[in-house]
Amino acid sequence: MHRLFVAIEIPEGVKDGLTALCGGVDGARWRQREQMHLTLRFIGEVDGAVARDIDDTLRGIRAPAFSLTLQGTGFFADRKRARVLWAGVREERPLKQLHDKIERALADIGLEPERRRFRPHVTLARLSDVPRVEAEGYAARHGEYASGEFTVDRFMLFSSYLARDGAIYTPEAEYPLATEEVPV
Ligand code: 3AM
C-alpha cells in the first residue's frame, strides 16, 4: 500500500523564510524544511493498481503554470485547542482551479470525493495541547509575512511514510504545467 497525496513543492529560498517562522510556540512540532509543501489533495492509502491509475489520470491534466506568493499566517483549531499553524497564500484562485481539475481527474477513476473545503496553506507546525489564544498570538506576530513571488510550473505526487519522529515525504511523480500559450 502507498499513502499518497498531491502537492506543490516550495522553492528553497521560500523555505528559508518559512523556517524563520518556525519557533516561539511551546508544544509546536515544527516542520523540517524537507517536510514543507502545499497540499492540493490528500489521497490516503491505495494499492499499486490504484496508484498507477492515479498517476495516469494526473498525467492527463492540462493546466497553465502560474505565479504564487505565500502571505500571512494562521491556524486550524477546534473549539479550545489549536491544531495546526500555517502560512497562507496571497491569491487562491489559480490553486483552486488546479485543485478542481485534480479533484475531477481523481473522481473520473472512482476515488471518493474530498468533502472538506480546500483551504490552501503550507503547514508549519502540528500542535499538541496549545490553547487557541497562543495560536492567535502567533498569527498576529507574523501577520506581515510574505514570500517572494515564485512560479509553479509543475505539481507532484508524494508518498508519505509515517516514521516515529515525523512523516517522511517522497516525490513519486511530477506533472508539468503549461508555461507557454497554446496557439489556437
Ligand atoms: O500538507 P499538510 O500538512 O497540510 O495533514 C496531512 C498533510 O497535510 C494531510 O495530508 C498531507 C500529507 O500528509 N492529511 C493526512 N491525513 C489526512 C486525511 N485523512 C490528510 N488530509 C485529509 N484527510
Side-chain angles (χ1 to χ4, degrees):
M1 295 290 271
H2 313 258
R3 183 181 162 88
L4 299 178
F5 65 100
V6 183
I8 287 169
E9 291 172 309
I10 307 293
E12 292 303 316
V14 174
K15 285 186 181 179
D16 292 342
L18 293 174
T19 302
L21 297 175
C22 290
V25 178
D26 287 343
R29 295 187 305 282
W30 300 101
R31 284 265 159 107
Q32 304 296 310
R33 313 172 58 94
E34 56 275 14
Q35 296 174 314
M36 290 174 174
H37 54 255
L38 193 158
T39 300
L40 290 164
R41 171 61 145 87
F42 178 75
I43 296 173
E45 298 272 347
V46 295
D47 66 23
V50 176
R52 279 188 291 281
D53 285 351
I54 290 168
D55 179 46
D56 281 347
T57 199
L58 293 179
R59 207 161 287 288
I61 289 178
R62 297 288 170 263
F66 55 91
S67 305
L68 191 65
T69 303
L70 304 184
Q71 185 174 46
T73 58
F75 61 94
F76 295 139
D78 52 32
R79 223 148 43 90
K80 289 208 177 119
R81 302 274 149 191
R83 298 293 174 200
V84 173
L85 299 177
W86 45 256
V89 301
R90 180 172 292 168
E91 162 63 52
E92 296 193 350
R93 207 167 1 168
L95 278 172
K96 286 196 164 149
Q97 285 167 351
L98 179 57
H99 166 267
D100 290 351
K101 284 192 178 179
I102 291 168
E103 194 62 47
R104 280 199 295 276
L106 295 175
D108 283 348
I109 58 160
L111 263 63
E112 281 293 304
E114 169 61 82
R115 307 253 171 235
R116 293 196 300 189
R117 186 163 72 86
F118 175 53
R119 298 176 69 182
H121 65 277
V122 179
T123 296
L124 299 173
R126 302 214 153 253
L127 309 175
S128 30
D129 211 25
V130 173
R132 274 189 81 107
V133 63
E134 291 285 331
E136 284 164 5
Y138 175 86
R141 285 198 298 283
H142 297 293
E144 299 297 309
Y145 165 74
S147 73
E149 185 177 271
F150 57 97
T151 302
V152 178
D153 57 8
R154 62 182 185 171
F155 63 99
M156 311 286 293
L157 184 63
F158 282 91
S159 61
S160 163
Y161 169 70
L162 301 178
R164 198 180 311 179
D165 52 355
I168 298 169
Y169 303 130
T170 307
E172 299 291 344
E174 64 176 72
Y175 310 101
L177 297 170
T179 48
E180 283 170 24
E181 292 288 317
V182 180
V184 283

